[in-house]
Amino acid sequence: MELNDLKRRLSLAEDDTSKDDFLQVMLSDAIEMAQDYCNQDFMVDGQLKLPGGVKMAIVKLVKLAQTKPNLQSRSISGGVSETYFTADDLAVIKGDLAPYVKAVFC
């Protein structure tokens, strides 16, 4: 998953580079978290090949990292409201990743 793919999935303009450094760090961290959680590296022929469900979980992790802690939603003048992630969202992300978890036997 590349930065521009993440930006498309987040509905961000690809030519807006103001958050690219942050997004790249978060993307790398989220991929690593998914790999660790799933006990696999998703490498095929030396290239990272993330299934769609894993990509969705990564996008959700990045969104979660952008939210303000202890704030679940807010209303903005003009009738616009925003809803942020809650603690239950981590369970949803784990559910997205569940089909890709490989068992590890010691």
Side-chain angles (χ1 to χ4, degrees), residues 24-89:
Q24 185 61 60
V25 168
M26 295 312 304
L27 175 60
S28 296
D29 289 350
I31 290 172
E32 185 177 332
M33 289 174 69
Q35 289 170 321
D36 289 347
Y37 184 80
C38 295
N39 299 314
Q40 59 175 312
D41 61 10
F42 301 106
M43 297 298 285
V44 177
D45 297 327
Q47 293 195 339
L48 183 66
K49 299 285 185 182
L50 297 171
V54 174
K55 288 179 182 180
M56 288 175 52
I58 287 169
V59 171
K60 290 176 186 176
L61 282 167
V62 171
K63 283 183 180 180
L64 182 60
Q66 293 178 340
T67 62
K68 298 175 182 173
N70 302 320
L71 181 61
Q72 292 184 358
S73 65
R74 70 176 179 174
S75 294
I76 303 170
S77 63
V80 177
S81 66
E82 294 180 302
T83 302
Y84 299 104
F85 280 88
T86 65
D88 293 335
D89 293 311

